[in-house]
């Protein structure tokens, strides 16, 4: 099984260092979960979160040309965003919004015009 960027796979922690944990993936490949990718909060001691032999679910972040695989536990837990259903507006809705916008715009312009004329001492066009 090839490891693809973006895929979520199960693996087994094979080693822990102060900078992260090594995880064996399906197919015999090993990747690194950096300490910053273990949990959502700050991780001071990785041993408090992981132990050797533990099964974890990881997301593949990158696969380097040299074969190094970067993994993330916290991104594997993130819920996938659901696309919002889009309702196409009917032509009547659009017309209502447009006429409302135009009326609003004309009201604002006339207010600005009145204020500008009053500041000039009434010399403006009437």
């Amino acid at each position: 099984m090839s490891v693809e960027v973006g895929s979520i796979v199960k693996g087994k922690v094979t080693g822990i260092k102060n900078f992260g944990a090594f995880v064996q993936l399906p197919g015999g490949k090993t990747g690194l979960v950096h300490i910053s990718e273990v949990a959502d909060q700050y991780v001071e001691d990785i041993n408090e979160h992981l132990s050797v032999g533990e099964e974890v679910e990881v997301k593949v972040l990158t696969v380097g040309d040299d074969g190094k695989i970067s993994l993330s536990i916290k991104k594997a837990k993130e819920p996938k965003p659901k696309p919002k259903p889009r309702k196409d507006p009917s032509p009547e809705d659009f017309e209502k919004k447009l006429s409302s916008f135009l009326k609003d715009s004309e009201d604002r312009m006339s207010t600005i015009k009145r204020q500008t004329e009053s500041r000039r001492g009434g010399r403006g066009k009437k």
Side-chain angles (χ1 to χ4, degrees):
M1 176 184 168
S2 67
V3 179
E4 295 180 18
V5 174
S7 62
I8 296 177
V9 294
K10 285 193 183 259
K12 190 175 195 175
V13 178
T14 58
I16 296 179
K17 299 288 182 187
N18 60 353
F19 54 84
F22 293 98
V23 177
Q24 186 169 9
L25 303 172
K29 296 192 177 191
T30 301
L32 174 70
V33 177
H34 189 266
I35 193 168
S36 65
E37 293 294 330
V38 171
D40 289 330
Q41 69 273 9
Y42 175 74
V43 176
E44 189 169 332
D45 182 12
I46 195 167
N47 293 300
E48 293 176 3
H49 295 270
L50 297 172
S51 58
V52 175
E54 181 180 349
E55 291 252 341
V56 291
E57 198 169 69
V58 293
K59 181 174 185 175
V60 180
L61 299 179
T62 61
V63 178
D65 294 334
D66 54 359
K68 290 183 179 177
I69 302 171
S70 178
L71 306 169
S72 173
I73 293 173
K74 71 180 182 181
K75 290 189 176 147
K77 295 177 183 176
E78 289 180 353
K80 295 177 185 171
K82 295 179 183 176
K84 294 180 181 177
R86 187 172 172 199
K87 179 188 162 209
D88 289 331
S90 66
E92 293 83 27
D93 289 342
F94 177 75
E95 291 296 329
K96 286 179 187 175
K97 286 183 180 180
L98 183 61
S99 67
S100 172
F101 170 79
L102 288 173
K103 182 182 179 305
D104 223 21
S105 179
E106 288 171 2
D107 290 346
R108 289 180 184 187
M109 287 303 294
S110 66
T111 302
I112 291 170
K113 200 172 185 180
R114 268 186 272 128
Q115 289 173 347
T116 306
E117 287 175 1
S118 68
R119 287 186 193 143
R120 293 183 182 166
R123 292 182 302 195
K125 240 184 185 179
K126 290 190 178 186

